[in-house]
């Protein structure tokens, strides 16, 4: 079974703090993703990575950065947290696409972040 | 980028089949249909996906119409643990997932 774990289930931070959200997967997946989920807006992609030290912006990267120093670990960084970054953050991983076969994304349990 | 339309909510009696519809009238030839579900306060869970043929696995069946403009996810014997939000996603080959707001399914005892 694929296992994607996130460092915290709940987190409370103050405006202006630097926040690190960690994600680890144990299936040797190349691809990793960070989403945020807000009521009425569904999941929105923040950043993704197809390989170590590689990153690509998603739909809403502003205010975030990421780090992928090891294949199994993908970190999301809020350089200076703001109240509009209060959200549920979800990490996912997937194997690489092989030919025309679609790769399925597997999600972690999520981190609910509150910025005061 | 909403490519799918789902009813916002549905109820189903425990033990009965739950049939969750999804319209994707603008789907193109190389786009797959994926279904995920999300139980309250957890991450989304993969259920099933397909391109044009019907698919079945241990969790559910996916029925895709011949013109591929709609599909139905079938949970054959719904249990209380199936209460969740179900997302239908149309995904081009290799591109990211776009989750909409899904269907909130409530299984009633």
């Amino acid at each position: 079974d694929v296992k994607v774990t996130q460092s915290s289930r709940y987190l409370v931070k103050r405006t202006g703090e630097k926040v690190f959200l960690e994600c680890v997967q144990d299936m040797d997946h190349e691809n990793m993703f960070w989403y945020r989920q807000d009521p009425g807006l569904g999941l929105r992609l923040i950043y993704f990575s197809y390989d170590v030290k590689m990153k690509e912006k998603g739909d809403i990267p502003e205010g975030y950065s990421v780090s992928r120093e090891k294949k199994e670990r993908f970190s999301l960084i809020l350089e200076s947290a703001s109240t509009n970054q209060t959200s549920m953050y979800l990490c996912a991983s997937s194997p690489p696409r092989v030919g025309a076969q679609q790769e399925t994304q597997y999600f972690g349990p999520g981190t609910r972040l509150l910025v005061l | 980028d909403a490519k799918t339309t789902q009813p916002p909510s549905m109820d189903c009696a425990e033990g009965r089949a739950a049939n969750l519809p999804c319209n994707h009238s603008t789907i193109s030839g190389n786009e797959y249909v994926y279904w995920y579900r999300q139980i309250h306060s957890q991450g989304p869970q993969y259920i099933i996906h397909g391109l044009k043929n019907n698919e079945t696995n241990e969790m559910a069946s996916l029925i895709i119409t011949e013109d591929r403009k709609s599909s139905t996810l079938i949970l054959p014997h719904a249990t209380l643990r199936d209460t969740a939000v179900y997302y239908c996603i149309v995904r081009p080959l290799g591109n990211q997932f776009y989750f909409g707001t899904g269907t909130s399914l409530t299984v009633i005892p």
Side-chain angles (χ1 to χ4, degrees), chain A residues 16-32:
Chain A
E17 278 194 75
K18 191 168 185 176
V19 181
F20 292 87
L21 302 181
E22 304 284 339
C23 175
V24 177
Q25 49 94 5
D26 66 358
M27 284 302 294
D28 203 35
H29 284 170
E30 273 75 7
N31 306 326
M32 296 188 76

Side-chain angles (χ1 to χ4, degrees), chain A residues 22-103:
Chain A
E22 304 284 339
C23 175
V24 177
Q25 49 94 5
D26 66 358
M27 284 302 294
D28 203 35
H29 284 170
E30 273 75 7
N31 306 326
M32 296 188 76
F33 306 81
W34 274 107
Y35 296 85
R36 63 177 282 177
Q37 184 175 29
D38 301 288
L41 296 177
L43 273 73
R44 293 179 291 167
L45 182 64
I46 305 171
Y47 267 98
F48 59 99
S49 168
Y50 286 151
D51 203 351
V52 175
K53 295 194 186 295
M54 178 271 179
K55 60 186 179 184
E56 293 284 344
K57 292 180 180 179
D59 299 318
I60 50 163
E62 296 77 21
Y64 303 94
S65 62
V66 289
S67 172
R68 186 127 182 243
E69 295 297 319
K70 293 185 178 181
K71 190 176 184 181
E72 67 271 17
R73 189 180 298 269
F74 192 35
S75 303
L76 179 69
I77 303 153
L78 287 65
E79 294 288 343
S80 178
S82 63
T83 54
N84 63 12
Q85 292 178 309
T86 290
S87 187
M88 169 80 131
Y89 289 88
L90 290 157
C91 175
S93 73
S94 72
R97 179 160 52 96
V98 178
Q101 183 178 337
Q102 291 264 286
E103 72 274 19

Side-chain angles (χ1 to χ4, degrees), chain B residues 2 16 22-23 26-28 31 33 37 41 48 74 80 88 93 96 104 109:
Chain B
R16 303 295 294 269
C22 179
N23 285 326
T26 61
I27 194 169
S28 58
E31 292 182 323
V33 179
R37 73 180 182 184
S41 295
I48 199 166
I74 301 172
L80 299 179
C88 168
L93 188 66
Q96 286 74 52
S104 178

